[in-house]
Amino acid sequence: MTDITVLLPSVLQPLAGGQSILTAPADVAVTVAGVLDSVTGGYPALSRRLRDETGAVRRYVNIYVNGNEIRRLQGLATEVSPGQELLIIQSVAGG
């Protein structure tokens, strides 16, 4: 079994127990939604920061699989294969 690696930006790390990398075990391709469910199960605050009440990715959260933003692919249904990385970036607002 090969893990899928989820990389978190520093702003989200406190919501994941201070971790910068979370892993989701996988032996077959899974969806981005499945990976998020797996890694945020123990971190409800992180889950709420990434997705809204309907389960959709919040608009200020960008998720990349192999450098491709999932909104340009199949969104949460985008497949992630074992060994791949999922990068989460939270937009920072300010002026």
Side-chain angles (χ1 to χ4, degrees), residues 3 28 38 40-42 57 63 65 68 83 87 89:
D3 289 343
V28 296
S38 176
T40 62
V57 175
I63 300 175
V65 175
N68 296 306
L87 172 64
I89 297 178

Side-chain angles (χ1 to χ4, degrees), residues 18-92:
Q19 299 178 84
S20 61
I21 297 173
L22 300 174
T23 56
D27 51 10
V28 296
V30 294
T31 63
V32 169
V35 173
L36 293 179
D37 289 344
S38 176
V39 300
T40 62
Y43 306 108
L46 177 61
S47 182
R48 286 191 301 273
R49 182 72 64 94
L50 299 178
R51 295 191 273 184
D52 64 19
E53 307 75 36
T54 68
V57 175
R58 293 189 183 275
R59 64 181 172 86
Y60 56 81
V61 173
N62 296 314
I63 300 175
Y64 297 83
V65 175
N66 283 347
N68 296 306
E69 212 278 327
I70 65 166
R71 287 186 180 95
R72 296 191 176 114
L73 301 171
Q74 287 84 41
L76 287 169
T78 301
E79 285 198 345
V80 187
S81 296
Q84 289 186 316
E85 284 185 347
L86 194 138
L87 172 64
I88 298 174
I89 297 178
Q90 182 170 334
S91 301
V92 179

